[in-house]
């Protein structure tokens, strides 16, 4: 079963890209958390543990033929959907949101695997779906069901960031599969009233406030708007070359919120300036384009759909997080993959990359 | 199905991948342009903001809403309090600063250093509070010398002021730092650690209305931490005021009537359910909880065997004793087992099988009809009636009065009391109910438990011939602009379906209790107004014949419930005196005082001049004057 070609075809480019971004992340977390004072295990050390754990996951995910996933995709989907329902009733509530499920030995946040599982379910669905000339509205019925269940359950937790993410991931895959123009226009027209309804009935007050504050940061410069303003100051004050490693005043004086997690990039931008940001931006763009290339080179529909889905997941994380940090998007709690501190995000991203590597190294096996 | 894979049509998606790649490149170009804008074009401005000028966030705590009595008199309001803070990043010489402060404020240097160490881990621009509640002179002195003490900051925030001292302490409640547990709850979502919230009473149960919303200022300060300008400001929203149904003067008189006895009293408007006085005695000083309570003071409260921290009116559950005979009597009348002519002979005890149940009067009451049974509180009459009714029929009537479950007065942790049934016992103990157990129930002993609120509601229900309004404490909520946000109108909780004639027969008995010779409630009598009531003495433990010195905690509870005026009832009062021994002697006089105070307030009874003048001087003058202008120009509604 283990073919020597697998080693020769191993995608070292993608693998090194991940290592480079993760290492930059560790260095940055060291700086971002430097002002937190002495703690038993510093954040950057914990992040190294997470990276090592993530890499072993990558190897695990690479070790089997990804085609197996095609057969179990809906099972995985079902289990995760079930967990989402369970978490609504038995989940741990912290800071007003119920996201975690206590499984005795460890805690699980089912909204994370949803991102991967929705990709699998869509790939499995469309891999056997005949599509001559783009999807019609009727073709979207089952995909909408597949997406709607988890999306609503996650909204209910409430976790707006993740809900938006999985919708964006699903849309990206639909575009890849191909939509008719008439479908696009109809969906857009139908969405407008539901946005209105969601605004008034689904979104919580604090979520509405965040969006309003984004549109007008002066509206509440003290809370949600405060983060936005401080992050913009941090990024902008970095200038062309930055203030230097460990020298960012915004970060070191704690003006930034969650500066080792969601706002890690603004610490980096302050200390490394436009040149540093350009490098990171380039690395991420390279990663995304590489993922699309894997999709393009893959010879079966399931694999190529999976590759597009996983790439879309990484892409939207990057865009939403960076957009938030530089004041283009509202503050939603979305981390920057491989760069922000945190085990949950690291695990999901690494599993995604594992899938990409898997598809990439088996592209000649068909 | 396995192995059947679909080779994709190659051309289409390849073109789409190209399209998507271009889209990705465009998005990254947009991100890069934005970075260009921020880091190259705007860089100068933003760098200046981050370096030369320091932005600082100064929270401005919202002033809590006031709590007023039914006539708009202030029960709780706010007054400004000054605290001293240091801002680590501006401190030049930490030791010198702390030394100066310790010396000047007369505080322990080690304590200040401790606070400094604890606060150091946070952001360096974040003020560390090292002393609260300093005097105005101290504040002014520090303010004058601020330039010589870089890093010093003086903060003003409103604190709770209890102008009436301990008055209604349990009802009003106190504030404290928000607990970890509350922080996790949805209703406390907008709170931060360290915020002060209501911990008990009205302060807690009506927190959402009282709290208001904190504001703050984004300010720019110079290198020495001095204020330069305000960049933006969100003003705090003052909390809403709560207007209680309580009458402050009646509350005060009721508390005085207890003296140093422990217990609870509830006075209620029978025609609306509005609670006029809500007493749990002894009280405590709520301001001690907001400020710094010494461990000695805390210990005193904990060791007092009268349990001053316990809200007895809300959480106390007592066997109602003979006051419960009202329910048994009404049940007997409605079921047709007795009427006003039915007589029973009381020889001082009653024997069922092998058990002998004693009447409180060992000599016996002789021939007893309903009126005499109520008046002299003959136990044997009710033993016999209870035996024929059975526990479940008694329970059914008690439930008609809303007993056995919380009445929903609008405070957290209200208890429900207990009305036993045979089914309940089966469930709870897995044992059958036996007949002998019904007899104590018929005189309010055994398993029966009632709260002071329920006692008041029960007697109010008798006064109105069966209409029981939901007892409630809040009349309305008023926003800072004086607009009424919520108004609570009377709500019928229970309508007891009994002919008024039956109530009349019981009421006649209750009138006799207070006004006729041999009645047990003579001490609640008023000469100007006709009072009707019922005494109760409830056993704490079975220590019947141990005459002499019973230890405090084993003495019987004394109860008295009453309503007045007899012909056109307005007010119902229930009093429990813990370990007060006899309802007629310990609780009835308190009921009498409360009723007297109520009718004096209405002008029905002329107040003795000396007393009212005295009281006005001693307690009323200072409290109304202190509505601090700065924090809450609270409207005084309803007046």
């Amino acid at each position: 079963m283990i073919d020597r070609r697998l080693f020769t075809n191993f995608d070292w480019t993608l693998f090194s890209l991940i290592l480079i971004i993760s290492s930059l992340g560790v260095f940055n977390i060291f700086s971002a958390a430097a002002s937190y004072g002495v703690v038993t295990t510093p954040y950057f050390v914990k992040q190294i543990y997470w990276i090592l754990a993530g890499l072993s996951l990558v190897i695990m995910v690479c070790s089997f033929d990804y085609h197996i996933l095609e057969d179990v995709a809906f099972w995985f989907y079902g289990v995760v959907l079930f967990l989402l329902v369970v978490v609504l009733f038995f989940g741990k509530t912290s800071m007003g949101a119920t996201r975690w499920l206590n499984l005795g030995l460890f805690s699980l946040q089912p909204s994370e695997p949803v991102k991967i599982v929705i990709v699998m379910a869509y790939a499995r669905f469309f891999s056997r779906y005949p599509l001559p000339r783009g999807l019609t509205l009727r073709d979207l019925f089952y995909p909408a069901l597949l997406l709607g269940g988890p999306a609503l359950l996650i909204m209910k937790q409430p976790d707006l960031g993740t809900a938006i993410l999985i919708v964006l991931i699903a849309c990206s895959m639909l575009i890849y599969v191909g939509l008719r123009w008439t479908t696009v226009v109809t969906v857009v027209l139908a969405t407008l009233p539901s946005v209105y309804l969601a605004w008034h009935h689904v979104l919580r007050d604090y979520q509405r406030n965040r969006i309003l504050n984004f549109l007008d940061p002066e509206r509440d410069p003290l809370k949600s708007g405060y983060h936005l303003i401080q992050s913009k100051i941090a990024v902008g004050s970095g200038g062309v070359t930055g203030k230097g490693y460990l020298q960012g005043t915004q970060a070191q004086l704690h003006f930034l919120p969650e500066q080792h997690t969601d706002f890690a990039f603004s610490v980096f931008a302050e200390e490394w300036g436009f040149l540093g940001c350009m490098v990171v931006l380039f690395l991420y763009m390279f990663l995304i384009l590489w993922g699309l290339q894997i999709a393009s080179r893959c010879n079966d529909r399931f694999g190529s759909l999976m590759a597009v889905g996983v790439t879309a997941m990484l892409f939207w994380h990057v865009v939403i997080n960076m957009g938030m940090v530089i004041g283009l998007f509202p503050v939603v709690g979305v981390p920057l993959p491989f760069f922000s501190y945190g085990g949950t995000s690291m695990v999901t991203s690494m599993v995604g990359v594992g899938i990409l590597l898997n598809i990439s190294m088996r592209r000649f096996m068909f | 199905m396995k192995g059947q894979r679909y080779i994709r049509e190659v051309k289409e998606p390849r073109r789409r991948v190209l399209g998507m790649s271009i889209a990705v490149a465009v998005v990254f170009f947009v991100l890069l342009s934005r970075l260009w804008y921020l880091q190259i074009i705007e860089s100068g401005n933003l760098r200046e903001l981050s370096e030369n000028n320091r932005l600082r966030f100064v929270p401005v705590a919202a002033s809590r809403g006031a709590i007023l009595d039914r006539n708009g008199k202030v029960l709780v309001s706010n007054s400004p309090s000054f605290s001293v803070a240091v801002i680590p990043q501006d401190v030049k010489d930490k030791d010198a600063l702390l030394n100066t402060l310790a010396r000047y404020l007369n505080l322990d240097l080690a304590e200040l250093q401790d606070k400094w160490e604890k606060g150091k881990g946070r952001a360096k621009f974040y003020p560390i509070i090292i002393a609260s509640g300093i005097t105005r002179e101290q504040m002014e002195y520090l303010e004058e010398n601020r330039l010589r003490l870089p890093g010093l900051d003086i903060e003003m925030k409103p604190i709770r002021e209890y102008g009436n001292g301990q008055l209604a302490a349990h009802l009003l409640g106190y504030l404290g730092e928000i607990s970890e547990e509350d922080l996790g709850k949805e209703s406390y979502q907008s709170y931060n650690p360290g915020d002060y919230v209501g911990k008990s009473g009205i302060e807690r149960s009506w927190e959402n209305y009282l709290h208001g919303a904190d504001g703050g200022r984004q300010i720019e300060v110079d290198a020495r931490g001095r204020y330069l300008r305000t960049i933006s400001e969100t003003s705090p929203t003052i909390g809403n005021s709560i207007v209680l149904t309580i009458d402050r003067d009646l509350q005060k008189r009721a508390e005085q009537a207890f003296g140093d006895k422990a217990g609870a009293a509830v006075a209620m408007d029978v025609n609306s359910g509005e609670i006029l006085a809500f007493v749990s005695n002894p009280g405590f000083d709520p301001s001690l909880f907001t400020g710094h309570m010494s461990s000695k003071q805390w210990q005193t409260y904990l060791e007092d065997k009268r349990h001053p921290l316990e809200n007895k009116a809300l959480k106390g559950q007592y066997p109602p004793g003979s006051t419960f005979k009202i329910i048994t009597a009404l049940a007997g009348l409605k079921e047709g087992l007795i009427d006003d002519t039915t007589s029973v002979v009381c020889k001082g005890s009653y024997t069922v099988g092998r058990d002998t149940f004693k009447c409180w009067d060992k000599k016996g009451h002789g021939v007893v009809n309903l009126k005499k049974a109520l008046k002299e509180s003959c136990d044997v009459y009710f033993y016999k009636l209870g035996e024929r009714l059975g526990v479940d029929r008694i329970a059914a009537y008690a439930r008609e009065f809303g007993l056995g479950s919380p009445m929903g007065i609008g405070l957290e942790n209200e208890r429900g009391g207990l009305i036993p049934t045979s089914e309940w016992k089966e469930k709870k103990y897995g044992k059958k109910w036996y007949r002998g157990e019904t007899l104590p129930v018929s005189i309010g002993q055994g398993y029966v438990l009632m709260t002071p609120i329920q006692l008041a509601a029960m007697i109010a229900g008798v006064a109105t011939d069966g209409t029981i309004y939901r007892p409630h404490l809040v009349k309305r909520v008023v926003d800072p602009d004086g607009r009424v946000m919520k108004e609570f109108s009377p709500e019928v909780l229970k309508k007891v379906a009994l002919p008024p004639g039956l109530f009349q027969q019981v009421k006649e008995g209750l009138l006799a209790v207070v006004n006729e010779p041999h009645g047990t409630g003579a001490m609640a009598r008023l000469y100007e107004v006709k009072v009707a009531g019922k005494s109760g003495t409830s056993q704490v433990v079975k220590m019947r014949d141990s005459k002499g010195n019973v230890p405090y905690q084993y003495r019987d509870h004394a109860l008295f419930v009453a309503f007045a005026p007899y012909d056109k009832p307005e007010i119902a009062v229930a009093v429990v005196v813990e370990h007060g021994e006899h309802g007629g002697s310990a609780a009835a006089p308190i009921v009498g005082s409360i009723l007297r105070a109520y009718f004096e307030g209405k002008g029905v009874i002329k107040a003795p001049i000396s007393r009212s003048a005295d009281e006005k001087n001693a307690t009323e003058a200072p409290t109304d004057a202190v509505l601090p202008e700065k924090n809450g120009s609270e409207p005084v509604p309803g007046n």
Side-chain angles (χ1 to χ4, degrees):
Chain A
M1 193 63 202
I2 302 280
D3 196 317
R4 196 191 294 149
R5 280 187 303 173
L6 289 182
F7 289 97
T8 49
N9 286 333
F10 187 77
D11 195 337
W12 292 105
T13 315
L14 178 55
F15 192 72
S16 340
L17 212 46
I18 296 312
L19 283 185
I20 294 170
I21 298 177
S22 303
S23 316
L24 281 178
V26 170
F27 279 109
N28 187 56
I29 288 166
F30 179 83
S31 173
S35 57
Y36 288 1
V38 184
V39 285
T40 42
T41 318
Y43 283 112
F44 80 96
V45 174
K46 285 201 222 163
Q47 181 78 346
I48 292 174
Y49 293 157
W50 284 120
I51 292 171
L52 293 176
L55 289 177
S56 50
L57 267 177
V58 165
I59 292 166
M60 258 172 62
V61 175
C62 280
S63 62
F64 58 86
D65 186 341
Y66 68 89
H67 291 104
I68 295 168
L69 294 177
E70 192 172 355
D71 300 320
V72 295
F74 284 146
W75 289 105
F76 278 13
Y77 176 87
V79 168
V80 172
L81 191 66
F82 172 74
L83 289 177
L84 276 179
V85 175
V86 173
V87 85
L88 265 195
F89 292 104
F90 303 104
K92 272 192 297 190
T93 303
S94 80
M95 303 311 280
T98 313
R99 295 176 189 170
W100 293 86
L101 202 57
N102 195 345
L103 297 177
L105 284 176
F106 60 99
S107 292
L108 182 76
Q109 196 178 356
S111 52
E112 277 296 316
V114 160
K115 295 170 188 165
I116 301 272
V117 154
I118 201 95
V119 168
M120 275 198 230
Y122 263 49
R124 161 69 178 75
F125 181 80
F126 286 113
S127 68
R128 309 197 181 173
Y129 200 82
L131 355 122
R133 272 187 297 121
L135 299 168
T136 60
L137 210 53
R138 188 183 297 169
D139 293 326
L140 288 184
F141 179 70
Y142 289 108
L145 278 187
L146 281 176
L147 175 64
L152 287 178
L153 286 170
I154 292 170
M155 284 280 242
K156 193 97 189 118
Q157 290 184 351
D159 182 352
L160 188 61
T162 307
I164 290 175
L165 266 172
I166 67 166
V167 170
L168 287 173
I169 293 169
C171 288
S172 310
M173 292 182 76
L174 290 176
I175 289 171
Y176 179 65
V177 171
L179 291 161
R180 290 192 187 183
W181 279 111
T182 49
T183 319
V184 176
V185 171
T186 325
V187 169
V188 168
L189 286 181
T191 312
L192 294 179
S194 46
V195 165
Y196 175 83
L197 284 179
W199 181 263
H200 287 281
H201 298 289
V202 182
L203 292 185
R204 306 282 179 107
D205 271 343
Y206 78 96
Q207 293 171 329
R208 268 196 288 264
N209 273 331
R210 278 188 187 172
I211 294 170
L212 289 176
N213 290 337
F214 157 67
L215 297 173
D216 177 18
E218 298 300 315
R219 201 175 151 266
D220 180 15
L222 306 174
K223 292 201 177 130
S224 336
Y226 177 78
H227 296 179
L228 221 67
I229 293 171
Q230 293 301 345
S231 180
K232 256 160 64 177
I233 292 177
V235 173
S237 64
V240 183
T241 52
K243 296 177 183 169
Y245 191 51
L246 293 173
Q247 303 300 315
T249 50
Q250 286 288 104
Q252 305 308 332
L253 294 178
H254 263 268
F255 280 97
L256 291 169
E258 324 211 13
Q259 56 191 34
H260 62 299
T261 59
D262 293 353
F263 282 89
F265 187 66
S266 56
V267 175
F268 185 84
E270 188 186 16
E271 297 185 346
W272 296 95
F274 184 69
L275 295 178
C277 291
M278 228 162 64
V279 170
V280 171
L281 225 55
F282 174 75
L283 287 172
Y284 275 113
M285 187 168 80
F286 192 28
L287 171 67
I288 303 301
L289 294 179
W290 194 260
L292 288 176
Q293 213 42 46
I294 291 172
S296 160
R297 280 183 302 187
C298 175
N299 279 318
D300 65 302
R301 213 199 271 172
F302 178 73
S304 113
L305 279 162
M306 283 286 289
V308 166
V310 169
T311 308
M313 176 182 92
L314 296 172
F315 173 74
W316 288 116
H317 270 96
V318 172
V319 169
I320 293 177
N321 178 278
M322 288 202 171
M324 166 182 84
V325 164
I326 61 183
L328 286 175
F329 291 143
V331 177
V332 282
V334 170
L336 191 57
F338 310 108
F339 199 83
S340 292
Y341 172 81
T344 322
S345 147
M346 186 60 78
V347 165
T348 316
S349 307
M350 285 289 192
V351 168
V353 164
I355 291 171
L356 282 180
L357 285 170
N358 193 334
I359 297 167
S360 175
M361 67 204 241
R362 288 186 173 80
R363 65 180 181 269
F364 301 116
M365 286 196 59
F366 203 24
Chain B
M1 279 310 237
K2 226 176 178 175
Q4 184 190 349
R5 280 166 202 146
Y6 291 74
I7 299 178
R8 67 212 177 94
E9 24 346 303
V10 172
K11 248 192 192 160
E12 268 292 303
R14 277 230 168 116
R15 258 176 50 200
R16 240 167 249 141
V17 164
L18 185 65
M20 288 174 103
S21 300
I22 293 170
V24 166
V26 168
V27 169
F28 274 91
F29 182 73
V30 170
L31 292 178
L32 198 67
S33 318
R34 174 71 177 179
L35 280 168
W36 175 278
Y37 171 76
L38 287 178
Q39 299 193 297
I40 292 174
I41 299 175
E42 279 289 294
S43 173
N45 294 337
L46 294 172
R47 183 169 283 226
E48 205 177 320
L49 275 180
S50 85
E51 278 175 7
N52 304 331
N53 306 307
R54 300 169 198 197
L55 288 185
R56 200 162 283 161
F57 173 61
V58 188
V60 179
S63 188
R64 250 179 119 76
I67 305 178
L68 310 168
D69 92 336
R70 62 185 295 117
N71 300 314
K73 290 182 186 161
V74 177
L75 296 170
V76 184
S77 59
N78 305 299
S79 64
S81 147
F82 300 98
S83 48
V84 182
V86 292
I87 297 171
Q89 76 179 40
D90 298 329
V91 173
K92 292 268 147 56
D93 184 348
K94 172 207 137 197
D95 292 320
L97 175 64
L98 292 185
N99 260 315
T100 313
L101 289 176
R103 204 152 19 88
Y104 184 68
L105 298 171
N106 203 9
L107 291 168
D108 189 16
L109 181 61
E111 200 181 318
L112 297 192
Q113 261 155 351
D114 198 42
K115 284 188 177 148
W116 165 276
E117 289 299 325
K118 270 191 200 144
K120 221 174 49 175
R122 284 187 305 184
K124 293 186 185 65
F125 70 87
Y126 208 88
I128 302 171
I129 293 184
I130 57 169
S132 332
I134 62 167
T135 65
R136 192 172 276 273
E137 295 86 70
Q138 285 174 324
M139 184 273 290
E140 278 162 4
Y141 174 82
L142 289 176
E143 198 64 60
E144 277 163 26
N145 291 283
R146 202 160 162 180
L147 275 184
R148 294 196 290 115
L149 302 166
L152 174 74
D153 191 31
I154 291 164
E155 299 188 343
M156 195 281 285
K157 64 175 186 185
I159 57 159
R160 252 352 196 181
E161 182 172 71
Y162 301 89
N164 301 288
Q166 303 203 348
L167 186 83
H170 296 96
L171 167 63
L172 299 171
Y174 56 90
L175 303 184
E177 240 176 64
I178 187 166
S179 66
E180 197 87 358
E181 194 195 338
D182 284 346
L183 266 177
K185 291 183 188 159
E186 184 145 10
S187 51
Y188 289 93
Q189 189 152 55
S190 60
Y191 289 74
N192 295 313
D195 282 356
Y196 268 69
V197 296
K199 288 290 190 183
S200 73
I202 295 284
E203 295 270 31
R204 178 174 177 88
S205 300
W206 295 78
E207 167 72 23
N208 288 349
Y209 291 99
L210 288 166
H211 188 80
D214 288 349
R217 278 176 301 156
Q218 182 101 35
I219 59 165
E220 215 178 295
V221 293
D222 70 5
R224 298 185 78 179
R226 284 173 306 194
Y227 172 85
L228 284 182
R229 68 190 178 103
T230 300
I231 290 179
S232 55
E233 185 164 8
T234 309
S235 36
T237 314
I238 300 173
N240 305 301
S241 300
I242 303 271
V243 179
L244 298 182
T245 57
I246 296 294
D247 182 318
R248 194 184 72 182
D249 301 329
L250 186 66
Q251 175 81 21
K252 194 172 293 168
R253 290 280 294 276
E255 287 182 16
Q256 283 166 354
F258 268 89
D260 58 0
K261 292 189 196 107
V266 174
M268 193 169 113
D269 182 334
V270 298
N271 298 310
S272 66
E274 290 180 355
I275 295 175
L276 304 171
F278 193 81
V279 180
S280 176
N281 209 57
F284 59 88
D285 184 353
S287 62
L288 286 177
F289 287 83
T290 313
H292 183 72
M293 166 135 50
S294 68
S295 54
K296 197 175 145 217
Q297 181 64 53
W298 183 243
Q299 209 58 28
T300 322
Y301 279 143
L302 287 185
E303 278 168 8
D304 191 330
K305 60 189 173 188
R306 298 173 305 162
H307 308 294
L309 296 180
E310 205 175 84
N311 189 344
K312 300 181 179 73
L314 182 72
K315 298 183 194 171
Q317 302 186 100
Y318 305 92
S322 300
T323 61
F324 194 71
K325 289 173 182 168
I326 294 170
I327 301 288
T328 314
L330 286 169
L333 288 167
K334 177 73 203 311
E335 295 290 321
L337 300 179
I338 51 167
D339 59 30
D340 49 355
T341 59
T342 313
S343 294
V344 156
V345 178
C346 168
K347 290 175 183 158
S349 69
Y350 178 55
T351 304
V352 178
R354 274 175 296 168
D355 296 319
T356 299
F357 295 88
K358 287 178 183 159
C359 188
W360 69 269
D361 191 345
K362 274 181 283 181
K363 299 194 299 283
H365 292 98
V367 179
V368 181
N369 62 7
L370 177 62
K371 188 174 164 189
K372 188 175 173 191
L374 286 169
K375 183 182 78 176
E376 297 180 19
S377 205
C378 171
D379 290 335
V380 169
Y381 182 93
F382 288 98
Y383 287 145
K384 289 187 174 170
L385 175 55
E387 190 188 7
R388 289 169 69 198
L389 276 166
V391 68
D392 292 337
R393 274 203 278 185
I394 298 176
Y397 284 93
R399 295 217 167 269
E400 286 268 295
F401 276 77
L403 308 181
S405 45
M407 309 203 97
I409 60 163
L411 288 182
E412 278 179 32
N413 296 322
E414 189 195 341
R415 296 286 191 272
L418 176 63
I419 300 298
T421 59
S422 51
E423 192 191 349
W424 166 83
K425 193 187 174 196
E426 189 91 45
K427 238 186 230 160
K428 171 110 193 206
Y429 297 105
K431 283 184 195 149
K432 274 189 101 113
W433 186 273
Y434 60 94
R435 258 173 69 195
E437 285 176 307
T438 306
L439 275 61
V441 167
S442 60
I443 62 157
Q445 294 283 165
Y447 300 105
V448 190
L449 291 174
M450 279 169 71
T451 66
I453 301 159
Q454 291 171 334
L455 287 165
M458 173 181 78
I459 191 68
V462 175
T464 55
D465 292 346
T467 307
I468 297 169
Y469 290 92
R470 186 188 296 283
H472 58 279
L473 287 160
V474 176
K475 217 171 158 63
R476 56 180 166 266
V477 181
V478 182
D479 77 5
D481 297 327
R483 281 186 299 256
V484 175
M485 284 179 68
K486 263 192 170 194
E487 179 103 50
F488 296 89
S489 40
E491 176 196 348
V492 176
L493 179 68
K494 289 278 175 184
K495 186 96 185 120
V496 186
L498 291 180
L502 297 188
F503 280 108
Q504 196 49 42
Q505 290 174 34
V506 170
K507 277 167 153 178
E508 274 164 24
L510 299 182
L511 184 66
V513 167
V514 180
N515 297 293
E516 287 185 19
H518 303 296
T520 56
M523 294 180 94
R525 193 182 306 168
L526 299 180
Y527 291 95
E528 300 86 342
V529 183
K530 261 202 236 173
V531 177
K534 182 76 198 79
S535 62
T537 303
S538 67
Q539 256 180 31
V540 176
V541 287
K542 280 214 163 108
M543 281 187 63
R544 267 283 154 101
D545 294 318
S546 63
K547 278 279 161 175
N549 293 328
V550 184
Y552 173 79
Q553 65 268 34
Y554 297 139
R555 289 179 206 157
D556 293 344
H557 294 318
L559 294 88
F560 202 84
V561 296
F563 66 89
Y566 177 76
D567 298 308
K568 203 169 172 298
E570 291 174 18
I571 180 175
V573 181
V575 167
V576 177
V577 178
E578 283 189 353
H579 314 296
E581 305 211 281
H582 292 293
S585 58
I590 297 176
V591 170
S593 307
I594 295 173
L595 288 173
R596 172 171 294 282
Y598 173 80
F599 288 108
E600 276 176 16
K602 295 208 72 181
V604 177
I605 301 180
K606 278 222 179 75
I609 296 150
S610 61
R611 186 209 268 155
S612 67
D614 207 37
E615 255 180 27
K616 279 218 166 67
N617 289 337
T619 48
E620 275 171 42
T623 48
D624 280 338
V626 276
L627 255 179
E629 272 171 47
K630 203 157 194 176
N631 314 309
S633 44
E634 285 92 345
V636 180
N639 205 358

